[in-house]
Amino acid sequence: MANKPFKTYREQLDILRSRNLIIENEERAIDILRRVNYYNLINGYKKIFLEKSNSNLETYKENCTLEELYSLYKFDRDLKNILLYYLIQFENSLKSICAYHFSNKFREDYSYLQVKNYSHEKEDFKYVLNNLAELSKIINKEKDNSVKPQIKHYIDKHHEIPLWVLINYLTFGNVSFFFNAMDNELKESVCKDFGIRLKRQYGNSYPIEKNILKDIIKISNLFRNVCAHDDILFSYRLKKPISTKESTSKFFRVKFKGNSLFDLVMLLQLVLPKDCHEEMISKIEFTFKLYSKSFKSISLEDIIEEAGFPINWTEDYKIKLP
């Protein structure tokens, strides 16, 4: 297949016009394409603006403008910034709780590098091996780092690195492997910590089981990667719903589907402090209102429905009270 030839900004705009997209101001349009390249903006956000057709020819909906695509891009960017901030709050809490319980149970130096201190379950073995490899790699990489010298300092001065120091160097993916590698007793301790806060703040007495927390970590990590890599968030869905979809549904008022952005927003109630989660909801609601008049060829409701948000989402997301 031949490579697509280079197109100037004006040629790119001519292509869009031929597909029924309105360019209201050409200089403004070129400025938008300088900020966000054609591929990321058009290929990334066009789908919801296209007429449904059996033809291979793309045609934009009546009265659709380039500004609308750019507004959706900005809307998605703002949502990513909000979500990433609160996912990091969960990530930091998870790291802290995991490090605390593991270090309390295994108190010898470098206990986290001993395979005997992890799960002996067959289905966890891959996590154990991956976790040990990642922890060793991080230590080797950071032991001579004088720019971020915490690990170097502990090796030079104390001849060991406490887990509560090392855990800060783990990515969300790394800490996911760490949690999955822990033995069942430790997993239950981590779940219990989240469950105690949930019961205290919401009065909900359902326990957060280890498989449910495992799935919350999984979906959070996948959506975190979308945000961190600046991929498209609003329409992102897991290829398969989380495996604990049915058992997780008991926490919520509405049907839990387990694969969309809205499902993640619901799940984060189980692992974030209540005031933190309510703050996130307020920011999302503000963002929806901010962009409510930015679209003409489609409605904002079309967009948030694509993200899994129901019409009455500000009530429907809430935990089922006892």
Side-chain angles (χ1 to χ4, degrees):
M1 183 182 291
N3 291 331
K4 289 190 175 182
F6 171 80
K7 300 290 184 184
T8 66
Y9 290 130
R10 296 190 190 281
E11 287 172 330
Q12 290 172 17
L13 295 179
D14 287 340
I15 292 171
L16 295 174
R17 286 191 186 98
S18 72
R19 296 172 182 172
N20 201 39
L21 187 68
I22 296 171
I23 311 298
E24 296 173 308
N25 181 313
E26 189 159 299
E27 292 308 314
R28 163 69 176 163
I30 290 173
D31 184 57
I32 289 172
L33 293 177
R34 288 193 180 110
R35 296 183 189 192
V36 190
N37 76 50
Y38 183 99
Y39 179 84
N40 291 343
L41 179 62
I42 306 303
N43 288 24
Y45 293 93
K46 67 185 177 182
K47 185 176 179 181
I48 197 168
F49 295 101
L50 294 176
E51 294 281 11
K52 292 179 180 175
S53 170
N54 294 325
S55 168
N56 290 329
L57 297 175
E58 292 180 352
T59 304
Y60 286 88
K61 295 178 186 285
E62 198 66 28
N63 299 318
C64 184
T65 67
L66 181 65
E67 286 285 351
E68 286 185 87
L69 272 77
Y70 187 49
S71 290
L72 180 55
Y73 165 83
K74 291 188 293 180
F75 169 81
D76 200 47
R77 177 198 61 197
D78 291 352
L79 279 184
K80 281 182 277 195
N81 289 337
I82 294 168
L83 185 65
L84 183 58
Y85 177 84
Y86 291 99
L87 285 172
I88 289 173
Q89 307 311 303
F90 168 44
E91 177 183 346
N92 289 339
S93 180
L94 180 66
K95 286 177 177 179
S96 177
I97 294 170
C98 285
Y100 176 86
H101 286 293
F102 191 95
S103 300
N104 185 39
K105 183 173 182 178
F106 302 109
R107 300 195 174 195
E108 68 272 19
D109 292 351
Y110 293 108
S111 56
Y112 50 79
L113 293 180
Q114 302 297 318
V115 68
K116 65 184 176 65
N117 293 334
Y118 290 97
S119 172
H120 296 161
E121 302 292 331
K122 184 178 179 181
E123 63 268 22
D124 294 335
F125 191 56
K126 62 181 178 181
Y127 300 120
V128 174
L129 293 181
N130 189 291
N131 174 61
L132 291 171
E134 286 300 319
L135 294 180
S136 300
K137 187 179 0 177
I138 291 168
I139 293 171
N140 285 328
K141 179 183 176 183
E142 300 294 337
K143 62 182 171 39
D144 298 317
N145 189 341
S146 56
V147 177
K148 191 178 178 183
Q150 289 90 338
I151 285 181
K152 185 178 187 304
H153 165 79
Y154 271 91
I155 292 175
D156 292 344
K157 189 169 182 179
H158 304 286
H159 310 294
E160 61 101 15
I161 311 157
L163 180 58
W164 59 86
V165 173
L166 181 62
I167 202 89
N168 296 304
Y169 289 78
L170 272 60
T171 66
F172 208 151
N174 295 151
V175 80
S176 171
F177 279 114
F178 189 90
F179 174 79
N180 291 330
M182 290 197 302
D183 63 40
N184 284 334
E185 181 185 30
L186 285 176
K187 285 174 184 165
E188 295 291 354
S189 296
V190 173
C191 291
K192 185 177 179 182
D193 273 16
F194 284 112
I196 288 171
R197 183 171 64 199
L198 182 70
K199 184 175 182 179
R200 184 178 71 247
Q201 296 188 333
Y202 293 98
N204 192 301
S205 58
Y206 290 126
I208 300 176
E209 298 152 9
K210 62 180 184 291
N211 286 337
I212 290 177
L213 184 56
K214 179 179 178 180
D215 271 350
I216 295 173
I217 295 168
K218 175 184 176 181
I219 191 173
S220 295
N221 187 39
L222 289 170
F223 273 91
R224 189 192 191 285
N225 288 340
V226 169
C227 297
H229 299 151
D230 203 21
D231 291 329
I232 301 161
L233 173 64
F234 83 98
S235 59
Y236 177 76
R237 298 201 176 214
L238 273 62
K239 291 179 181 177
K240 292 196 306 183
I242 58 173
S243 60
T244 56
K245 181 181 75 168
E246 298 305 323
S247 55
T248 305
S249 295
K250 64 179 177 281
F251 289 99
F252 304 112
R253 301 180 182 187
V254 297
K255 185 174 176 60
F256 178 77
K257 297 179 181 177
N259 66 348
S260 71
L261 175 57
F262 181 66
D263 294 317
L264 175 60
V265 167
M266 293 168 71
L267 280 174
L268 286 176
Q269 283 175 102
L270 306 184
V271 291
L272 287 177
K274 187 177 181 181
D275 60 340
C276 189
H277 191 269
E278 287 175 346
E279 183 181 82
M280 181 184 72
I281 293 296
S282 294
K283 290 181 180 179
I284 292 173
E285 189 174 11
F286 174 81
T287 302
F288 287 0
K289 289 177 180 176
L290 182 65
Y291 286 91
S292 61
K293 293 183 170 42
S294 298
F295 306 98
K296 294 181 289 187
S297 63
I298 62 173
S299 68
L300 181 67
E301 287 69 27
D302 294 328
I303 296 168
I304 66 175
E305 183 182 357
E306 189 73 20
F309 286 73
I311 294 174
N312 297 317
W313 75 271
T314 52
E315 288 298 320
D316 290 345
Y317 80 87
K318 295 178 181 176
I319 281 179
K320 188 191 300 178
L321 298 177

